[in-house]
Amino acid sequence: MEIIKTLLSRRRFLQASGTAGAVGAAALGSGGVLTALKPVRAQAASPPTYHATKITKSICHQCPARCGIDVYTTDGRVHAIYGSSEHPISNGKLCPKGPLGTYILYDPDRFKGPMKRTNPQKGRDIDPGFVPISWEEALDTVAGRLNTLRDKGESHRFALCFGRGWGASCAGLLGPFGKLYGSQNVPIGHSSMCSDGSMLSKAATDGNASYSAYDYRNANMLLMFGVGFLEAFRPYNNNMQVWGYIRGERVPKTRITAVDVHLNTTLAGADRALLIKPGTDGALALAIAHVILTEGLWERPFVGDFKDGVNRFKTGQHVDPGTFEEKWVKGLIEWWNIELKDRTPEWAAEITTLYERDILATAREFGSTRPAIALFERGVHAHSNGILNGMAVHSLNALVGSLFAKGGLMYQMGPSYGAMPVKEDDFMDDYAKSGPWKAQPRIDLQGHEDGYLIAKNMLQEVGPNSLAGKPYKLDTVMFYLTNPIWTAPDGRAWEDALKEVFVVDTSPFPGETAMFADLILPDHTYLERLQDAPTYPFQGWPMAQLRVPAIKPLYDTKYFGDTLIEIGKRIKGRTGEYYQALGDSENVIRHLAKGFETDPGDNGVDSFDSWKEKGVWYKKNYKWRQIGGAFFEWDGKGYNTPMTAEQVKKELFKTDSGRFEIRSGKLEHHADWIAAKTGRDKDKLMFPHWEEPQHPGGGDLYMVTPKAAMHAEGRGANLPVAIANFQPVLGGRGTVYIEINPKTARERGIADGDLVRLKSHLGSIEGHCRFFEGCRPDTVVFPMENGHWAMGRWAKGRSPGHCGEITVNQSDRVTGQCSYYTTKVSIERA
Amino acid sequence: MAKWGMVIDLDKCTGCQACTTACSMENNRLPGENWQDVLFYHEGTYPNVKLMWFPRPCMHCENPSCVSVCPTKATYKDPHGGFVLMDWNRCIGCKYCQVACPYGVRFYVDEKAPVQPDIRTVFPSADGRVWDPPYRGPQDDPGRGIGIQPHGVVSKCTFCYHRVSKAPAGIADLDEDIPALKEYVPACVRTCAPKARFFGDLDNPESTVNKLIADKSGVRLKDETGNKPQVYYLSGGAAASVPSLRSMTPSDPA
């Protein structure tokens, strides 16, 4: 009764003034009340007729998903955003972030044109003294620095770091720029600070360095490890559409088990919620695999079987490899013998703190329900043992045969884009081909023995490495849609690094990195841009969206793609000629669209103009499917064309063996290096296996800082409506709490709502805590999007402060994954 | 004439609050002035904890207690469609309706803003309204509580009257998945990704909303008040659920 009473009588804004107060105010005639007595305005007889409302088909920018949106503009004012009905991801719907896009356009804190710094001193809370300059001056300044570096043979000291790349007309232009200009540091993506741990786990096992595409609607069970399916997992909007179907309409209802470290909406909505100890998801996956094998639940047509059909997987017992015939997997028996035979639910219960009965029930359900998908993201792999955890979870997909199956998972196909207007290879001068820059390693030591040999990118290392001068110091760095001073762990190192580097930021908004910038070259906001964006991994079949401007730019801003092209035109020699020939970003997009002329989309899009009108090109059939352990290609009518093992290797399992490698050839190739850097056993490091994670920070509680539904890809912090509704489980109305288990709090003399201090050896932050029984006693949880100091007026200084201040910069040495959720902190009353 | 009603299928609701933000932007609400809110609550002890949520719009009651207490007839039941609306030209801001409403869905914003700095000072109004954001929608109908309110009045959900009232006559359901109808659908229903919301004519026996209420045992919140809400909930025990009258925790006496 208390709950319902409290919730339902919660009258927002009715604070000190109760009933009596309200009457009193009316009687006394406080200003607002009297004003209301006179009519507001002559009221129209019928609802007013609007001037023509224009609907522009565009795409959202508030997460990677790329939902199609209908942008409503009346009298030059953008006033509403809804999902596009004709768009395969949004289907007319939106997540809570989508409608807030109008606010992003009209954000009063936006940069309004190019600016340069006049205060040579840089630091947190030091006014940069930005003054407006012309685009000519801005572009000439960047190009001048770049030309000078190139003349000195130091072009590698220019780096361009990017976060949310969208398509060929922005991020796609960066690679050629690096090649022509001569810098291996153009570009450095943020993938290691995103979710490379999952890409590399997949690359190690099935050969695809990519996120997966999923066929959730046909699955009968989803086993989710640390994905925040109903909070942050992309495409969030479509995930919820899926959820409504599989949980509310589908017969049979799809079973869901969700594994995470605190109770969130995904766990609340699941059939089974497993509150696991941070960093131990791999142990759970190993135990599930153990049960699937001992109880004979694996998918024989895909995995293979014992030659005589007798199951020899007995706990603790060695299996003779000669007795088993593997089909599409490699190394199963070796895995069993070296690791899995002892990984019982009882063992995993000890490691994960879960109940043995829950592990067993999960394993049996997952092993006996087809089709089933095991999906995972950062909760699993943002730890020092991330690659092992990721491989262990992904191997479950192999055991139940869900790779490329109906109701399983696959990889995303690219769109039928036309060729770029010109080829960069035709414009390579001698410097580009063999200049002194070629002898240098990347600044982040990606691909280098001293750094991260196998990683894709190591953005989190750029600042610290430049600061240390190892391998060298950067001269100039440019940022596109990334704000590493704030998003990197231990951002203080970045602040020191960027004090001594010429910084160019291209964000339309103020941010922490922008405050260290020497030049601001602001991009349009997304409702003002023409920008292509092939789909993020979705359902596998190809799709390419187009962001179409709803209105002309409000301010003197420039699309990043054009900023880059204009800088390129100012680079001396052949590079400049290439960019002259490229023209501008619209020319690039027009050339991309030429590919649709010969391969029109299902919705009839066959040209630049029709793409712009509809906002999306797609073709709904995925090309390949695994059915009962055999692979087939789509022939226009069905999956009828059988594939050879060679074709499967070329298109699907891109590994040495052409199979799903539980014994990873990719890791085996680098066994010496991995063993040297991680101390792992050379005979075991290529198999998914259990290893205790390393938790830096010096505290006694795990600090986990998830993204919440309202976190709008970097701008959620400055959206008042988002702030008002952030962290609904505990907070809201502008207040965000640190979740703490009451027992943990009481042991430390902390009361519900107390101001507390979280400390790691890097420093401390303060905020109010809230008791939450859905939080593990060994863990504190709060969303990451707080504590900005330069993001805008609403974002400034929001409690409980920024987790990056106390998050240690530790990465998985194999995947390069930045381990955001692995620092341990202590908590005390402030 | 239709009697518009909403059905919210709690088995499908994901607690994402898109209804809240879509409503907020469509109707130009202030941050925290959540005409359509989602309430979260939890019970139990680790690791046996239950987290639940409950989406809550105005119930547009058949027998609304807010209307009966209003001394100026500023809040009224529209006979054409069954909307409970506000006439801002009559409201004196006495807040009786806020107190009388059993559901807590009426708002008085002339108070300290929950999110600071106060957005009303950033986007002030030139013509006596509480604010004027640059993304303000074109609809303005103060006699029905549509658009941005003047100071000193109560605001509330209109069931998106400015959209619904333009729907073709005689239609049974306003289904956002039918392209020809989507512009008439309330913002919270139109945007709902898991399709947990349905909007239709409760007086039309053919309507999907009636079928859902019948087939899935729709219930009304706090039916004991006699307010007879025109919003029904379907609940099969998922995390989104109608708050129970009895607590599950013994220490929390019912």
Side-chain angles (χ1 to χ4, degrees), chain A residues 269-293:
Chain A
D271 299 302
R272 185 184 291 111
L274 300 178
L275 288 165
I276 198 167
K277 182 175 165 186
T280 68
D281 301 62
L284 173 61
L286 292 170
I288 292 171
H290 179 96
V291 174
I292 288 174
L293 295 183

Side-chain angles (χ1 to χ4, degrees), chain A residues 362-640:
Chain A
T362 304
R364 285 178 175 154
E365 188 177 3
F366 186 76
S368 57
T369 310
R370 304 273 198 279
I373 304 173
L375 52 153
F376 67 98
E377 285 298 338
R378 289 212 305 219
V380 168
H381 63 66
H383 296 282
S384 61
N385 58 1
I387 181 76
L388 305 174
N389 290 347
M391 287 169 69
V393 174
H394 195 41
S395 295
L396 298 178
N397 289 313
L399 292 185
V400 299
S402 57
L403 288 142
F404 304 100
K406 184 178 179 182
L409 69 173
M410 65 226 100
Y411 292 97
Q412 183 60 46
M413 295 168 68
S416 298
Y417 269 175
M420 294 288 275
V422 277
K423 286 190 190 128
E424 70 266 20
D425 288 345
D426 299 339
F427 292 83
M428 302 271 285
D429 59 17
D430 288 344
Y431 184 90
K433 283 180 191 156
S434 55
W437 68 282
K438 282 276 190 188
Q440 297 290 339
R442 264 173 55 146
I443 180 71
D444 59 355
L445 291 176
Q446 175 272 348
H448 194 280
E449 295 217 338
D450 294 341
Y452 293 81
L453 188 64
I454 313 171
K456 289 178 67 180
N457 287 296
M458 289 307 294
L459 180 56
Q460 66 268 41
E461 300 298 302
V462 171
N465 285 4
S466 179
L467 183 64
K470 288 179 185 167
Y472 43 80
K473 281 189 182 289
L474 289 175
D475 172 88
T476 303
V477 62
M478 189 163 168
F479 295 104
Y480 172 52
L481 280 171
T482 187
N483 177 15
I485 285 186
W486 202 79
T487 52
D490 189 14
R492 294 273 181 182
W494 278 82
E495 290 178 31
D496 291 339
L498 295 189
K499 279 177 188 166
E500 50 181 43
V501 178
F502 189 87
V503 177
V504 183
D505 194 25
T506 61
S507 171
F509 305 104
E512 286 71 21
T513 305
M515 289 305 111
F516 280 71
D518 294 276
L519 276 182
I520 300 285
L521 310 184
D523 202 343
H524 301 326
T525 64
Y526 72 94
L527 297 176
E528 302 162 310
R529 279 186 214 154
L530 179 71
Q531 182 172 39
D532 75 301
T535 192
Y536 224 62
F538 177 47
Q539 292 178 351
W541 36 266
M543 170 156 57
Q545 293 93 324
L546 192 64
R547 187 168 277 136
V548 180
I551 56 168
K552 286 192 187 126
L554 296 176
Y555 304 109
D556 185 19
T557 53
K558 192 185 283 292
Y559 174 41
F560 170 77
D562 287 318
T563 295
L564 192 79
I565 291 171
E566 290 303 317
I567 292 169
K569 286 176 183 171
R570 288 165 171 78
I571 302 296
K572 288 184 276 185
R574 298 286 286 154
T575 303
E577 291 167 26
Y578 168 81
Y579 286 99
Q580 290 294 344
L582 203 60
D584 58 21
S585 63
E586 181 170 331
N587 187 42
V588 170
I589 293 170
R590 285 178 179 275
H591 277 78
L592 302 175
K594 282 182 194 293
F596 305 153
E597 290 172 8
T598 49
D599 193 14
D602 290 355
N603 59 347
V605 167
D606 61 356
S607 64
F608 174 74
D609 289 330
S610 54
W611 195 21
K612 207 170 158 186
E613 183 202 328
K614 298 197 170 167
V616 60
W617 169 97
Y618 60 88
K619 297 194 71 160
K620 268 197 174 177
N621 285 301
Y622 191 60
K623 201 171 170 189
W624 307 280
R625 177 164 289 175
Q626 182 251 124
I627 303 167
F631 287 84
F632 299 89
E633 253 186 44
W634 178 257
D635 69 356
K637 287 179 184 151
Y639 294 100
N640 296 322

Side-chain angles (χ1 to χ4, degrees), chain A residues 109-428:
Chain A
D109 296 323
R110 279 183 63 172
F111 288 143
K112 300 188 171 58
M115 299 189 294
K116 70 177 176 191
R117 182 183 203 94
T118 56
N119 184 357
Q121 236 202 325
K122 288 185 182 180
R124 194 182 286 205
D125 297 325
I126 291 178
D127 181 359
F130 286 134
V131 294
I133 53 171
S134 68
W135 274 102
E136 277 307 304
E137 183 185 343
L139 298 166
D140 286 346
T141 306
V142 180
R145 291 191 73 92
L146 266 51
N147 280 322
T148 304
L149 276 179
R150 207 174 196 257
D151 290 344
K152 288 195 290 185
E154 295 179 5
S155 54
H156 59 280
R157 293 179 62 212
F158 170 59
L160 200 159
C161 304
F162 75 106
R164 176 64 51 231
W166 293 97
S169 66
C170 64
L173 299 174
L174 301 176
F177 194 99
K179 269 169 79 179
L180 291 167
Y181 170 69
S183 176
Q184 51 281 80
N185 298 315
V186 179
I188 296 176
H190 81 151
S191 57
S192 57
M193 287 159 61
C194 186
S195 207
D196 263 354
S198 97
M199 293 211 197
L200 271 289
S201 298
K202 286 164 186 178
T205 45
D206 66 28
N208 294 278
S210 174
Y211 300 135
S212 298
Y214 300 93
D215 182 16
Y216 299 123
R217 283 175 184 261
N218 288 305
N220 281 319
M221 183 178 181
L222 303 178
L223 176 54
M224 301 171 172
F225 291 83
V227 296
F229 195 81
L230 296 183
E231 293 83 26
F233 195 44
R234 68 266 157 180
Y236 179 40
N237 175 8
N238 200 273
N239 286 352
M240 293 194 290
Q241 295 169 38
V242 163
W243 191 274
Y245 171 70
I246 64 177
R247 303 291 286 171
E249 293 170 28
R250 188 174 183 270
V251 179
K253 186 170 165 175
T254 302
R255 299 280 299 173
I256 294 174
T257 291
V259 184
D260 215 313
V261 300
H262 77 138
L263 185 60
N264 54 26
T265 47
T266 310
L267 266 64
D271 299 302
R272 185 184 291 111
L274 300 178
L275 288 165
I276 198 167
K277 182 175 165 186
T280 68
D281 301 62
L284 173 61
L286 292 170
I288 292 171
H290 179 96
V291 174
I292 288 174
L293 295 183
T294 54
E295 301 202 355
L297 303 175
W298 74 90
E299 179 69 7
R300 287 171 177 74
F302 182 83
V303 176
D305 199 0
F306 288 99
K307 288 172 182 164
D308 58 5
V310 177
N311 185 4
R312 288 175 181 73
F313 292 119
K314 305 260 186 265
T315 298
Q317 290 183 22
H318 194 272
V319 169
D320 175 2
T323 59
F324 194 94
E325 199 165 349
E326 290 175 336
K327 197 166 173 192
W328 288 108
V329 300
K330 183 189 156 209
L332 177 70
I333 304 303
E334 293 164 285
W335 186 33
W336 170 265
N337 287 336
I338 202 165
E339 173 71 8
L340 221 49
K341 65 178 168 29
D342 303 317
R343 297 314 181 202
T344 60
E346 188 189 358
W347 166 83
E350 191 79 10
I351 305 273
T352 60
T353 74
L354 301 172
Y355 291 116
E356 185 184 343
R357 59 156 201 250
D358 289 341
I359 298 172
L360 192 59
T362 304
R364 285 178 175 154
E365 188 177 3
F366 186 76
S368 57
T369 310
R370 304 273 198 279
I373 304 173
L375 52 153
F376 67 98
E377 285 298 338
R378 289 212 305 219
V380 168
H381 63 66
H383 296 282
S384 61
N385 58 1
I387 181 76
L388 305 174
N389 290 347
M391 287 169 69
V393 174
H394 195 41
S395 295
L396 298 178
N397 289 313
L399 292 185
V400 299
S402 57
L403 288 142
F404 304 100
K406 184 178 179 182
L409 69 173
M410 65 226 100
Y411 292 97
Q412 183 60 46
M413 295 168 68
S416 298
Y417 269 175
M420 294 288 275
V422 277
K423 286 190 190 128
E424 70 266 20
D425 288 345
D426 299 339
F427 292 83
M428 302 271 285

